[in-house]
Amino acid sequence: MKKILLFGFLLGILFCKAQSKDYWQQHVDYKMDVTMDVKSYQYKGKQELLYTNNSQDTLKKVFYHLYNNAFQPGSEMDIRLQNILDPDGRMVNKVKNSEGKEGKESRISKLLPNEMGYLKISNFKQDGVSAQTKEVGTILEVVLATPILPGQSTLFTLDFDGQVPLQIRRSGRNNSEGVALSMAQWYPKIAEFDFEGWHADPYIAREFHGVWGNFDVKITIDKNYVLGGTGYLQNPNEIGYNYQDTGVVVTIPKKQKTLTWHFYAPNVHDFTWAADKEYVHDKYPAENGVTLHFLYKNNPAIIDVWKQAQPKTAELIQFFNKTIGNYPYKQYSVIQGGDGGMEYGMCTLVLGEGKLNGFVGLIAHEMGHSWFQHVLASNESKHGWMDEGFTSFIEDLAVNELVAKKVENPFAGAYKSYIELANSGKEQPLSTHADRYDLNRSYSVASYSKGELFLSQLIYLIGEDNLMKTLKRYYKEFQFKHPTPNDIKRTAERISGANLDWYLTDWTQTTNTIDYSIKKVAEKDNTTTISLERVGRMPMPIDVLVEYTDGTKESYYIPLRMMNFQKSNPKLEIKWTILNDWAWAMPNYEFSIQKPLSSIKKISIDSSDLMADVKRENNVFVNIK
């Protein structure tokens, strides 16, 4: 316990030193004592929350998330499922109407009283004095007994009663692979208050935002259940199940019906756990003293895949450490549960019956979130692309690193998905709140693919070396800080010297597209003139590759005037010529090559395919003799 507490203290020191003079954020210390009834799937708990107001505001109210309440007929999540054109397939049943036509119905709408989720709060007090509470769907509004002044701390205490819903989305009981308890978003969680104000979003579809703090959690449950999740187990030699120290034999008396699992998690913004009677628990060492935990069903059909995935997971953490920065905790758990793959503090819940390559790819993505969400922690609801997109970027890098046959552009799939969406007419800006996309697919492609392209396109804009330096500096300077879109942009500017405000604006706040074309190629007096056109609204610097009939190549670089930057030659083996810049307001641009057209075989705009041009068919000129 002392070692873990010291580790948390040191994390806090590092966190404090990292802040700028004007930066502030709230802080919380949770203590929870919970008892789970595995027969009724109901649980009772007590929570103490020490809340420190580091803002300049006097707080007269606070808000809590009650996520379980979303899994009730008539909830906002339920009604949204019934109205969106492409509801999440995990959350609906296929049905036929009276005419025999196939449709879909919300699974939430059909939940019985003992199948739905709820979280009920009682006995709420602030420093021992009762406070007024009001439950509105998945939000608890609290009118404080005493306003919290800037710099003050106060202690909130409450009792809560919960019921675990049937597994529908992320959290729940008895998932599709038979895992008993996937306990995500299960406790009263105070909402984030930052420089923008309160983020008390109702739980409608996706994404979360939380306050940094320390979690001290005790969970009492049937002794036959094995647990895994966020934090460090404080009483491993009382619990056993392969958590105990080497050489220790744990014997639980037959008369004893329950075990109390005590976890401590320093400097995290969420706490998740899962439990099942059939879990196998393996440990595997990773670099920097990190222990990887794997908890999965004792199912002969999957054991070999889970065993093979363990050294791969260690390789992944090593790659992420090298590429972004060191993982700051000493444990990470991969746990079978949930409804697909979902990231949490120091752990992930994943479906576990897939094949090895797909399974390792899933782990790569969810583990990648530990850097871009559970250490950096951007606001997922408002800027999901900074979380899902950046994680997809390092996932593709990592998976490409692990395979024997590497590809030149590991982001090609993301480009394909984004271009299809952009040309469909159904795209919405990345600045759209995660819950307010018209289609689930529009959200997914935008956040995952277009968000990934924000980084991969920076390779095209400022060069791969500058981008990788940007990622490392971004992680170092903004870990434990809730960075915003401007923070990644300014980091890239500081590293490269380029002006990138235009890029952040067009790529994330509009649906402006990139479309450049080779308009005309003509020859006069043994000189070939190439005419280019900017068709789309979004500007970019332009790389033009000219391939000659003698087998040689030459690259021409046209800087973007508003970028005030010239990148280095990305391929030193090819001659590199820097031309005059191109101003955005000018739709056309010409340059000449002192060679006859007959000597030219092919001309291409962006032969690297790292610029997300939505109509690539007009990017190439082939000289047909």
Side-chain angles (χ1 to χ4, degrees):
M1 179 72 172
K2 287 182 180 178
K3 288 183 179 180
I4 299 303
L5 288 172
L6 177 61
F7 177 66
F9 175 70
L10 291 173
L11 264 182
I13 291 176
L14 291 172
F15 158 75
C16 291
K17 284 187 177 180
Q19 310 308 316
S20 68
K21 291 181 180 179
D22 297 328
Y23 182 84
W24 60 268
Q25 62 185 19
Q26 310 294 59
H27 181 79
V28 291
D29 287 301
Y30 283 92
K31 282 188 177 181
M32 290 188 282
D33 200 331
V34 184
T35 300
M36 170 64 72
D37 184 335
V38 296
K39 293 182 179 179
S40 66
Y41 299 103
Q42 294 176 354
Y43 54 98
K44 293 181 179 293
K46 292 184 179 294
Q47 182 187 96
E48 292 182 6
L49 175 61
L50 182 63
Y51 186 86
T52 301
N53 178 19
N54 291 317
S55 77
Q56 297 302 307
D57 291 77
T58 296
L59 303 181
K60 298 179 180 180
K61 291 182 179 180
V62 297
F63 298 86
Y64 282 74
H65 296 282
L66 308 176
Y67 292 115
N68 269 10
N69 292 350
F71 301 101
Q72 298 175 7
S75 70
E76 288 191 71
M77 184 181 282
D78 177 30
I79 301 305
R80 179 62 172 159
L81 277 171
Q82 297 178 42
N83 286 278
I84 197 167
L85 291 176
D86 62 338
D88 189 322
R90 294 165 291 194
M91 302 173 72
V92 294
N93 294 318
K94 292 182 179 180
V95 294
K96 290 185 178 180
N97 62 18
S98 57
E99 299 176 354
K101 292 184 178 179
E102 192 172 271
K104 297 174 181 178
E105 68 176 9
S106 163
R107 290 176 59 203
I108 296 177
S109 70
K110 299 301 179 181
L111 290 176
L112 300 174
N114 67 334
E115 297 173 332
M116 66 178 63
Y118 62 70
L119 199 53
K120 300 176 181 179
I121 307 303
S122 60
N123 199 28
F124 192 103
K125 293 182 179 180
Q126 178 191 4
D127 295 324
V129 179
S130 295
Q132 179 184 338
T133 63
K134 180 173 70 172
E135 182 183 307
V136 183
T138 61
I139 298 296
L140 182 76
E141 178 183 332
V142 182
V143 179
L144 297 175
T146 304
I148 314 172
L149 299 177
Q152 282 191 343
S153 297
T154 193
L155 183 67
F156 299 132
T157 58
L158 58 85
D159 299 332
F160 59 96
D161 290 271
Q163 180 167 283
V164 187
L166 279 178
Q167 179 78 49
I168 290 179
R169 189 68 181 100
R170 297 191 178 97
S171 61
R173 61 179 174 89
N174 304 319
N175 83 338
S176 61
E177 295 180 346
V179 175
L181 293 167
S182 298
M183 299 297 289
Q185 293 88 46
W186 59 278
Y187 61 94
K189 178 180 177 181
I190 197 158
E192 176 68 285
F193 179 84
D194 62 16
F195 71 100
E196 295 178 315
W198 284 104
H199 296 276
D201 295 314
Y203 189 24
I204 295 175
R206 56 178 70 86
E207 309 308 354
F208 308 98
H209 194 36
V211 190
W212 292 108
N214 304 312
F215 286 74
D216 190 328
V217 182
K218 293 180 179 178
I219 302 163
T220 301
I221 192 170
D222 183 298
K223 68 179 181 182
N224 295 310
Y225 281 70
V226 184
L227 272 63
T230 304
Y232 308 101
L233 185 62
Q234 299 298 290
N235 56 339
N237 293 338
E238 297 174 15
I239 295 296
Y241 290 120
N242 201 30
Y243 281 101
Q244 70 270 29
D245 296 332
T246 302
V248 174
V249 177
V250 179
T251 302
I252 301 170
K254 290 184 179 180
K255 291 182 179 180
Q256 183 176 331
K257 294 183 179 180
T258 63
L259 283 174
T260 297
W261 299 63
H262 183 193
F263 291 94
Y264 181 76
N267 220 19
V268 295
H269 55 83
D270 202 1
F271 188 97
T272 294
W273 58 283
D276 194 89
K277 288 190 292 186
E278 298 177 359
Y279 270 157
V280 173
H281 172 217
D282 294 336
K283 291 184 289 188
Y284 196 94
E287 72 174 9
N288 298 334
V290 174
T291 299
L292 298 171
H293 297 262
F294 297 85
L295 294 101
Y296 52 98
K297 298 278 282 188
N298 190 10
N299 175 0
I302 69 171
I303 288 175
D304 188 51
V305 167
W306 276 80
K307 297 287 188 184
Q308 291 181 65
Q310 292 172 21
K312 295 289 186 182
T313 306
E315 289 182 57
L316 286 169
I317 199 170
Q318 185 175 8
F319 178 83
F320 294 147
N321 284 342
K322 178 183 69 174
T323 306
I324 311 163
N326 285 333
Y327 179 69
Y329 308 106
K330 294 302 178 185
Q331 81 91 8
Y332 185 82
S333 298
V334 180
I335 308 169
Q336 187 177 7
D339 62 351
M342 183 63 193
E343 71 280 2
Y344 300 103
M346 302 167 72
C347 69
T348 179
L349 301 185
V350 293
L351 291 181
E353 296 182 355
K355 294 182 180 179
L356 180 62
N357 288 343
F359 187 48
V360 171
L362 177 61
I363 293 172
H365 184 85
E366 303 310 333
M367 176 181 274
H369 277 294
S370 289
W371 281 258
F372 282 118
Q373 182 52 25
H374 286 280
V375 173
L376 285 166
S378 52
N379 185 338
E380 290 180 287
S381 295
K382 295 184 68 175
H383 314 298
W385 60 276
M386 295 180 69
D387 164 42
E388 296 295 355
F390 292 8
T391 299
S392 296
F393 176 85
I394 58 167
E395 170 202 355
D396 283 342
L397 279 182
V399 170
N400 196 44
E401 182 76 12
L402 262 60
V403 298
K405 190 176 181 180
K406 297 175 176 53
V407 298
E408 186 174 354
N409 184 356
F411 322 112
Y415 280 89
K416 182 176 184 293
S417 295
Y418 160 70
I419 290 170
E420 287 176 355
L421 176 65
N423 289 324
S424 73
K426 296 176 181 178
E427 184 188 4
Q428 292 173 250
L430 288 180
S431 55
T432 305
H433 189 283
D435 286 333
R436 292 190 271 285
Y437 280 83
D438 292 336
L439 299 169
N440 278 319
R441 174 157 179 78
S442 296
Y443 160 77
S444 296
V445 174
S447 294
Y448 288 74
S449 299
K450 192 176 183 182
E452 178 173 359
L453 268 52
F454 180 89
L455 292 183
S456 64
Q457 240 173 184
L458 281 174
I459 298 174
Y460 177 79
L461 290 172
I462 62 176
E464 184 174 5
D465 185 57
N466 278 333
L467 171 64
M468 302 318 289
K469 288 178 181 178
T470 294
L471 288 181
K472 288 184 176 181
R473 182 165 175 177
Y474 175 61
Y475 181 75
K476 180 180 180 180
E477 293 190 355
F478 291 99
Q479 56 184 284
F480 305 113
K481 276 192 176 182
H482 299 307
T484 64
N486 192 62
D487 293 322
I488 182 65
K489 185 263 292 186
R490 289 292 294 126
T491 304
E493 288 180 331
R494 291 184 180 110
I495 289 292
S496 66
N499 289 340
L500 294 168
D501 194 61
W502 62 274
Y503 179 56
L504 180 67
T505 298
D506 274 48
W507 193 251
T508 68
Q509 297 176 29
T510 77
T511 54
N512 292 346
T513 56
I514 302 164
D515 182 12
Y516 282 84
S517 74
I518 300 174
K519 190 175 182 180
K520 184 180 179 182
V521 179
E523 179 192 351
K524 184 178 181 182
D525 299 331
N526 288 326
T527 297
T528 300
T529 299
I530 301 170
S531 300
L532 307 177
E533 181 181 12
R534 177 185 55 77
V535 182
R537 290 192 186 94
M538 184 167 175
M540 292 292 279
I542 298 299
D543 289 350
V544 179
L545 180 69
V546 180
E547 300 176 54
Y548 297 103
T549 55
D550 63 3
T552 60
K553 297 178 182 180
E554 189 171 7
S555 187
Y556 293 85
Y557 172 60
I558 308 170
L560 176 65
R561 180 172 297 177
M562 68 175 69
M563 193 173 169
N564 303 111
F565 176 80
Q566 293 181 0
K567 71 178 177 183
S568 300
N569 184 359
K571 293 188 176 181
L572 296 177
E573 69 274 15
I574 298 176
K575 183 182 176 182
W576 173 257
T577 301
I578 300 175
L579 302 174
N580 293 329
D581 61 25
W582 187 349
W584 174 84
M586 311 301 181
N588 299 299
Y589 185 98
E590 284 187 357
F591 71 97
S592 297
I593 300 173
Q594 303 303 312
K595 292 185 179 182
L597 180 57
S598 60
S599 69
I600 295 174
K601 178 182 179 182
K602 184 180 179 181
I603 303 171
S604 306
I605 294 175
D606 177 34
S607 61
S608 70
D609 288 337
L610 288 173
M611 183 177 77
D613 192 306
V614 297
K615 289 186 169 55
R616 287 178 171 167
E617 59 270 20
N618 60 18
N619 289 13
V620 178
F621 167 83
V622 178
N623 192 9
I624 302 174
K625 296 179 181 179

